[in-house]
Amino acid sequence: MKKTYTRKLKHLFKVVLMCICLFLFNSGCGLDVYYVVEAPSYSIHTPYYDSEFSNCYFSFRTNENNNNTEVKKFLGTAIYYKIYKSKSKMDSEVGSITSLINSTDNKANAAPRMTSTYNFKTLKAENLSGSVLIEHSDREDQEIYIRLTDYIGSDGNVVDAYKAEIRIGSVSYGKPLRDEDGLNFNFASYRKDEKSAVPKEGDSDVQENPTSTDSDDDNRWYVPLFAVGLSLNDDYTNTSSVPLYLGCVTIKDNEEDN
């Protein structure tokens, strides 16, 4: 009886000792923690480079409630853009990014590649100044509307239904702005507003060589958008979601029909 008790005691001691060792090992070496941020829910309206003016807007829904956990704080949704002079160049780079998004093994690299390799910039707005364009809402997913350019009517005035703005739900936050000294997207040499400057070589948000040999690209600029969810993790690092492609619009710098 005494030997049986002793054997049980030794076995219990070994189990406790093993648990302590495992705890110390995991505490000392650390286990990899993977933070996952869910992408914005889906695109509601996706414009294409040849869309007529009434369809030249972006609309999508954010992904709020699936992103807050104990180990990460969801900051909100950022929008990234780039201005291209060449449609073929735009197609090539956007195609590379969307290939990563749709891949099984490399989708986590899509957002970092978009900003570092392809130099996409963050979209801003006249009346928003947070760390992300669309801050996290504790209530519900948010519907976002973005129109980059003003449409000018036959009377020479901006048509209110087609004005450049960013709307979160029903609230307008003013014109979208480039990441370039507060310039907007109303590219036009005939406009008197200095903030509506035509993009030029050397601008940080324009492809490195904005020239094109394709005559179809004359006076045309191509602007694709991507939406990305961002989180602040418990180790004070940031994690990006897989980007959501929102579409592309063409802005003509010699016409009002945008």
Side-chain angles (χ1 to χ4, degrees), residues 29-218:
C29 298
L31 292 175
D32 289 336
V33 177
Y34 295 96
Y35 302 98
V36 177
V37 183
E38 298 294 336
S41 295
Y42 56 87
S43 179
I44 298 171
H45 176 79
T46 303
Y48 299 94
Y49 75 94
D50 58 352
S51 296
E52 61 103 22
F53 76 92
S54 63
N55 287 317
C56 286
Y57 68 93
F58 308 83
S59 182
F60 73 99
R61 188 172 293 279
T62 63
N63 197 342
E64 308 288 343
N65 296 323
N66 291 331
N67 271 315
N68 258 349
T69 70
E70 293 180 358
V71 296
K72 72 177 189 293
K73 176 185 177 182
F74 186 56
L75 298 175
T77 305
I79 309 295
Y80 293 92
Y81 77 96
K82 186 174 177 179
I83 301 169
Y84 293 87
K85 182 58 178 170
S86 166
K87 179 180 177 297
S88 61
K89 181 71 171 178
M90 184 270 294
D91 286 339
S92 175
E93 293 192 354
V94 169
S96 296
I97 296 168
T98 53
S99 291
L100 287 173
I101 292 172
N102 294 323
S103 69
T104 302
D105 300 325
N106 296 312
K107 60 176 58 182
N109 297 322
R113 187 81 60 85
M114 180 178 63
T115 55
S116 61
T117 302
Y118 299 116
N119 203 34
F120 272 66
K121 299 297 183 180
T122 53
L123 187 69
K124 300 178 180 180
E126 287 179 316
N127 301 317
L128 291 172
S129 59
S131 58
V132 292
L133 185 68
I134 304 145
E135 292 188 341
H136 169 56
S137 168
D138 289 324
R139 296 184 300 277
E140 58 186 7
D141 294 348
Q142 304 180 88
E143 188 170 317
I144 312 303
Y145 170 95
I146 300 172
R147 183 177 167 85
L148 297 180
T149 57
D150 288 318
Y151 174 73
I152 308 297
S154 57
D155 60 357
N157 296 316
V158 176
V159 178
D160 190 62
Y162 303 116
K163 65 183 179 182
E165 67 174 336
I166 292 178
R167 289 202 306 262
I168 302 176
S170 60
V171 181
S172 176
Y173 291 90
K175 280 184 173 64
L177 300 179
R178 297 166 58 187
D179 190 28
E180 184 73 30
D181 296 328
L183 298 177
N184 61 49
F185 290 86
N186 283 327
F187 313 151
S189 56
Y190 56 81
R191 293 182 189 270
K192 296 179 180 180
D193 177 13
E194 62 181 11
K195 294 301 184 181
S196 301
V198 175
K200 62 183 184 299
E201 189 170 6
D203 289 353
S204 64
D205 55 357
V206 177
Q207 70 181 83
E208 290 183 7
N209 179 10
T211 60
S212 174
T213 58
D214 189 341
S215 61
D216 288 342
D217 292 336
D218 289 348

